Amino acid sequence: MKNVAIVLAGGSGSRMKSKIKKQYRMLGDYPVLWYSLQAFQSCTLIDEIVLVCGSGEKEQCREQFAEHYGFSKIRKIVEGGRERTDSVYEGLKAIENCDYVLIHDGARPFVDEAILNRVFEALSDNPACVVGMPVKDTIKQGNPEEYVEKTIPREKLWTIQTPQAFSYALIRRGYDELFQKEYPKISITDDSMVAECFLRIPVKLVEGDYSNIKITTPEDLDYAETLLRRRMRSLHH
């Protein structure tokens, strides 16, 4: 069995209001991207990492992460595309002889061993799995005039995170169909939508963690610093 993690690190980081992209900003002693790469590097169930970087950043990623930080599981570094789906597809095309693939946002630094173990446990019975958590807030559906149309029962609602995990053969087929037939007519915001729209297979929800946040804004980075300090304190007790 061969399992590969695709780590997406090609985001522009425009909402970070900084010349340094969010995945390269420092969080504690390391860049944001380091933490998710470390999680996959240390996971015995992951055999390889495919790192998808931004345009013109392959050498920087190779020097900084594969060489300087010594992430030996990074076997391939490829440049992503304009949209997230383009980047995922480039990552999928770079993989050979794979059974399962995990697709993860490099701007989510707090994926951990417990989450990855739950993902692999779910994969044993389900070819498509997504990490997420039940929503805690009341959700309202608004109209174009910004009035409430209805309140949506939150008991069935999850906020979706990454990694999202799939049988490689299935998700590759789904992405092939997406790019051959529909793209860019259909708006795809995450990988499970490809499974839903093109493969017509059920997608298993796997418990993530409320701390498994995606860093998008300066406020997210501040919150991540708080989470990191809390995590470090718990490790030392």
Side-chain angles (χ1 to χ4, degrees):
M1 194 73 73
K2 180 180 173 184
N3 305 313
V4 177
I6 294 175
V7 179
L8 303 171
S12 64
S14 56
R15 283 178 284 179
M16 190 56 75
K17 301 172 185 173
S18 168
K19 292 181 180 178
I20 303 173
K21 294 183 178 181
K22 59 190 177 184
Q23 57 270 28
Y24 305 130
R25 293 284 297 272
M26 296 302 289
L27 172 61
D29 296 331
Y30 301 98
V32 167
L33 178 58
W34 180 91
Y35 293 89
S36 53
L37 290 174
Q38 176 62 31
F40 292 116
Q41 176 76 27
S42 61
C43 178
T44 57
L45 297 168
I46 295 292
D47 300 294
E48 292 183 11
I49 298 170
V50 173
L51 181 56
V52 184
C53 63
S55 177
E57 296 174 4
K58 281 177 69 173
E59 201 53 42
Q60 174 191 347
C61 283
R62 187 183 315 282
E63 290 176 2
Q64 184 170 8
F65 295 101
E67 296 173 8
H68 177 69
Y69 289 122
F71 291 125
S72 58
K73 288 185 182 178
I74 297 178
R75 303 292 166 79
K76 291 186 179 174
I77 301 174
V78 298
E79 291 188 7
R82 188 170 59 89
E83 303 292 341
R84 185 184 189 279
T85 43
D86 299 297
S87 296
V88 173
Y89 197 35
E90 291 304 313
L92 289 171
K93 289 188 291 185
I95 294 173
E96 300 171 358
N97 305 318
C98 173
D99 295 288
Y100 292 101
V101 60
L102 278 67
I103 303 168
H104 185 66
D105 297 323
R108 288 188 190 270
F110 297 119
V111 62
D112 59 19
E113 182 181 10
I115 293 174
L116 295 178
N117 285 341
R118 288 194 291 271
V119 167
F120 278 105
E121 185 177 345
L123 276 175
S124 64
D125 298 313
N126 304 276
C129 305
V130 296
V131 169
M133 292 297 287
V135 301
K136 295 188 282 188
D137 298 322
T138 296
I139 304 295
K140 305 280 187 182
Q141 179 177 309
N143 64 17
E145 290 75 39
E146 298 183 352
Y147 288 96
V148 172
E149 283 188 342
K150 63 179 177 179
T151 301
I152 303 171
R154 66 185 175 193
E155 290 77 18
K156 294 182 178 180
L157 299 180
W158 287 56
T159 179
I160 296 305
Q161 305 172 350
T162 66
Q164 303 193 3
F166 307 90
S167 154
Y168 174 77
L170 279 175
I171 198 65
R172 176 63 193 270
R173 192 177 84 219
Y175 265 89
D176 284 342
E177 287 194 31
L178 168 67
F179 276 83
Q180 288 165 9
K181 296 179 181 178
E182 301 289 338
Y183 190 74
K185 298 175 191 172
I186 184 169
S187 176
I188 297 291
T189 56
D190 80 335
D191 309 297
S192 65
M193 281 188 69
V194 176
E196 295 162 29
C197 296
F198 296 97
L199 302 175
R200 304 288 192 272
I201 58 174
V203 179
K204 177 69 173 174
L205 290 162
V206 179
E207 181 186 352
D209 195 294
Y210 287 115
S211 69
N212 185 25
I213 63 168
K214 185 176 183 181
I215 295 177
T216 305
T217 66
E219 292 77 20
D220 296 332
L221 193 59
D222 292 340
Y223 180 45
E225 292 280 3
T226 301
L227 291 173
L228 182 62
R229 286 194 295 270
R230 190 181 304 162
R231 179 172 286 196
M232 296 307 293
R233 280 199 302 269
S234 67
L235 288 175
H236 293 124
H237 280 93

